[in-house]
Amino acid sequence: MAASAGSAPVLLLLSLWLGLLGGGWLLYKQIVGRLPELPACFGRGRAALASLLYLALLVVPLRGGLQQIPVNQSDVYFSSRPFANHAAVNVPWNVVNSLRLQNGGPNPYQFLPDSTARRLTQQLYAPTGPDTVALLRTRRPNVLFIILESFTGKLVGHLGGETGVTPTLDSLSQVGVSFQNLYAAGDRSQKGLVALLSGYPNQPTTSIIKSPRKTERLPHLARTLRDQGYSTAYYHGGELAFANMKSYLVTAGYEQFTERSDFTRRDQNAKWGAHDHVLLTRLLQELPRQRPPFFVTAFTLSSHEPFDVPMRPRFPGTTEAALFRNSVYYTDHVLGQFLAQARRQPWWDSTLVVLVADHGHHQPGDTPNHAPAKFRIPLLLTGGALLPSTQGRQISTFGSQTDVAATLLAQLKLPATTFPWSRDLLAPAPVAWPGGVAFYCFTDGFGVAAPGGTVTYDNVARREIERTGSVSPQQLRFGQAYEQTSFGDFLKK
């Protein structure tokens, strides 16, 4: 605002503003005049009650209507050109919101000298040699990127979780490529999106997706692949405006969006929108019309609370854990039906399917917020574009959601230099971390998982929360360095 006013006639505008204020005050005095006294039967108590009722009525316009998700900045984002979106935002709201979201520093996570923190962090991303692993039959396959809501490793049999909940994923692990030690970068859907599609770390007390001016500076798989000639589309059964996700996705350059409002009223049969069988049916119908090669992202929602899935319960009980378990089974089941039909489609043989969760879940077992079990998630590669020799391959390297982008781009023989927080999980492991390492955030704390064990840390108390296994002395120090450096990068965006 200040920059825009730099060449404006400030004195003239200020005089006009003061004139308008004065004119308004005179009109008010002449037309409205002094407010009358309250009637005798209308005391201060009733006046206070009436004021409270009026305040309650303001809740509806404040949230932008009676819809499920309150209005936010994403509602006016419509263009891949940032300037057009900025111009569409309500100016007074934008000014106040910008003041509220000031993140200029100082960095609250200052554990080490900045040079030391950068050096320790960079050890994870230092070049280690070329990736000689070839998984694909074609250099430019279609990419179908399916994000599974809340799919925790605790319910995935091939990851050592409960058996019988995800039979589709478990069978795919026998014919595709499974990553055994992938960790979610955070604990919310919007955080998982940024980590997966932009390879960007999460923040312990906020999310970069709340600041569209910052997300505009992030790399994105859709934009990168679009520059390589890919067509792009995004499918979700819910509302894209949720948690400001739409602003992030629009500026990423997706050419086509399908969301809740694009489904018929009959098909909006879940609390959040269209259930997963509706979403995947729509996807199956429209993929043949997608110009190849395509990068299509689909995000499921039925395994989000309240877990009201449209099928008979597979597992008994009405507890939160039982309902969640049944919702995961439902999504896994309809995913299996989708893939069975997809294998008969002409586009299947030239398509790589990426299956990964947006984050974990505290159920079953009511896992503590910091525990590594809550953050371990599945990552599977399948599809007709995979080489037959990759069947049943397991990758044991520890990694984060942020590493999916670089891993995918390496297989497509594309550079990942614009994704500096992402590393190729199929390349030789870093010297400092021969088995890999994964950093994750929870509310004002972080965890670092490695083959030897996991250490978690509380930023408020400035002390460790828990250690599991045999944690090396450098592990906590690395976590502090990573959080300090990544949050510093966030502040500069």
Side-chain angles (χ1 to χ4, degrees):
M1 182 177 64
S4 300
S7 59
V10 177
L11 289 177
L12 176 60
L13 291 174
L14 184 61
S15 300
L16 289 172
W17 178 62
L18 291 173
L20 286 171
L21 283 178
W25 180 77
L26 288 172
L27 285 171
Y28 183 88
K29 293 286 288 184
Q30 293 296 322
I31 297 173
V32 179
R34 181 179 175 84
L35 291 175
E37 296 291 334
L38 290 172
C41 62
F42 199 87
R44 293 186 180 276
R46 292 182 67 182
L49 178 61
S51 298
L52 288 174
L53 290 175
Y54 279 124
L55 285 173
L57 289 173
L58 285 174
V59 171
V60 174
L62 279 171
R63 71 187 306 277
L66 296 172
Q67 74 280 3
Q68 189 168 2
I69 298 172
V71 67
N72 60 48
Q73 211 164 338
S74 282
D75 285 289
V76 300
Y77 269 59
F78 68 97
S79 172
S80 58
R81 293 174 176 267
F83 178 80
N85 297 318
H86 298 166
V89 176
N90 178 287
V91 175
W93 178 89
N94 202 23
V95 171
V96 174
N97 189 58
S98 298
L99 294 173
R100 184 177 65 85
L101 294 177
Q102 286 292 326
N103 285 304
N107 190 338
Y109 309 112
Q110 199 73 33
F111 300 100
L112 304 163
D114 285 336
S115 58
T116 303
R118 285 193 297 270
R119 177 176 55 80
L120 292 175
T121 302
Q122 195 54 40
Q123 288 178 350
L124 182 60
Y125 303 104
T128 56
D131 176 358
T132 58
V133 177
L135 302 178
L136 302 175
R137 298 192 303 169
T138 175
R139 185 173 180 178
R140 287 290 181 271
N142 304 314
V143 179
L144 179 55
F145 200 101
I146 300 179
I147 303 172
L148 303 168
E149 170 68 51
S150 301
F151 264 52
T152 171
K154 293 182 291 182
L155 294 180
V156 179
H158 74 270
L159 296 181
E162 295 183 17
T163 58
V165 184
T166 58
T168 297
L169 293 189
D170 295 337
S171 63
L172 289 175
S173 70
Q174 303 300 314
V175 297
V177 180
S178 63
F179 292 75
Q180 301 292 296
N181 294 296
L182 190 84
Y183 287 78
D187 53 5
R188 298 297 300 274
S189 296
Q190 63 269 29
K191 296 181 179 182
L193 277 183
V194 174
L196 288 168
L197 300 176
S198 293
Y200 196 72
N202 287 177
Q203 295 75 49
T205 55
T206 184
S207 173
I208 195 171
I209 208 168
K210 293 182 179 180
S211 305
R213 296 296 183 96
K214 290 181 181 288
T215 55
E216 289 166 8
R217 298 183 175 95
L218 293 178
H220 200 288
L221 282 174
R223 188 183 306 121
T224 300
L225 294 180
R226 187 176 173 182
D227 290 344
Q228 296 296 320
Y230 278 71
S231 64
T232 57
Y234 187 93
Y235 287 79
H236 183 46
E239 296 180 37
L240 293 185
F242 178 76
N244 226 33
M245 293 191 295
K246 185 179 178 182
S247 63
Y248 166 68
L249 296 169
V250 168
T251 55
Y254 282 103
E255 298 165 310
Q256 172 194 337
F257 290 98
T258 300
E259 58 172 319
R260 180 175 187 164
S261 60
D262 297 308
F263 293 90
T264 64
R265 180 70 63 180
R266 179 183 68 256
D267 286 335
Q268 295 181 34
N269 49 5
K271 174 185 177 182
W272 298 104
H275 269 305
D276 292 343
H277 74 277
V278 176
L279 173 73
L280 294 177
T281 298
R282 177 75 167 263
L283 184 62
L284 193 67
Q285 292 170 347
E286 296 186 359
L287 277 178
R289 301 196 293 270
Q290 194 74 38
R291 177 180 59 79
F294 58 71
F295 175 72
V296 172
T297 307
F299 190 5
T300 69
L301 60 70
S302 296
S303 43
H304 194 289
E305 59 82 25
F307 318 123
D308 57 343
V309 293
M311 73 179 301
R312 293 179 59 184
R314 172 77 174 184
F315 305 97
T318 57
T319 63
E320 182 187 19
L323 294 174
F324 174 58
R325 191 179 285 110
N326 277 300
S327 71
V328 170
Y329 178 84
Y330 158 77
T331 296
D332 180 85
H333 175 69
V334 298
L335 176 65
Q337 292 180 321
F338 166 80
L339 292 174
Q341 296 180 64
R343 290 186 183 96
R344 298 194 288 268
Q345 302 298 317
W347 49 263
W348 175 260
D349 287 342
S350 57
T351 300
L352 171 68
V353 181
V354 181
L355 300 169
V356 64
D358 62 336
H359 55 77
H361 202 275
H362 65 95
Q363 295 292 357
D366 202 17
T367 305
N369 193 40
H370 66 274
K374 182 184 174 185
F375 291 85
R376 190 170 174 227
I377 58 172
L379 169 61
L380 279 160
L381 305 181
T382 187
L386 284 178
L387 288 167
S389 59
T390 64
Q391 186 171 5
R393 183 165 187 165
Q394 295 184 348
I395 309 300
S396 60
T397 303
F398 276 64
S400 164
Q401 278 178 322
T402 57
D403 300 324
V404 174
T407 305
L408 173 61
L409 291 174
Q411 289 302 306
L412 300 178
K413 307 301 181 187
L414 294 173
T417 52
T418 57
F419 295 79
W421 295 93
S422 187
R423 69 184 181 92
D424 181 3
L425 294 176
L426 298 173
V431 175
W433 301 100
V437 66
F439 175 93
Y440 61 83
C441 282
F442 48 91
T443 304
D444 225 336
F446 67 82
V448 181
T454 303
V455 59
T456 53
Y457 187 82
D458 185 336
N459 288 326
V460 177
R462 293 274 170 160
R463 62 175 179 83
E464 288 185 27
I465 301 173
E466 185 180 16
R467 286 188 178 217
T468 62
S470 176
V471 174
S472 65
Q474 74 188 68
Q475 204 157 317
L476 176 60
R477 187 175 168 87
F478 168 79
Q480 292 172 331
Y482 192 99
E483 183 174 61
Q484 177 178 329
T485 307
S486 62
F487 198 82
D489 185 82
F490 162 77
L491 292 175
K492 294 174 184 177
K493 289 291 184 191

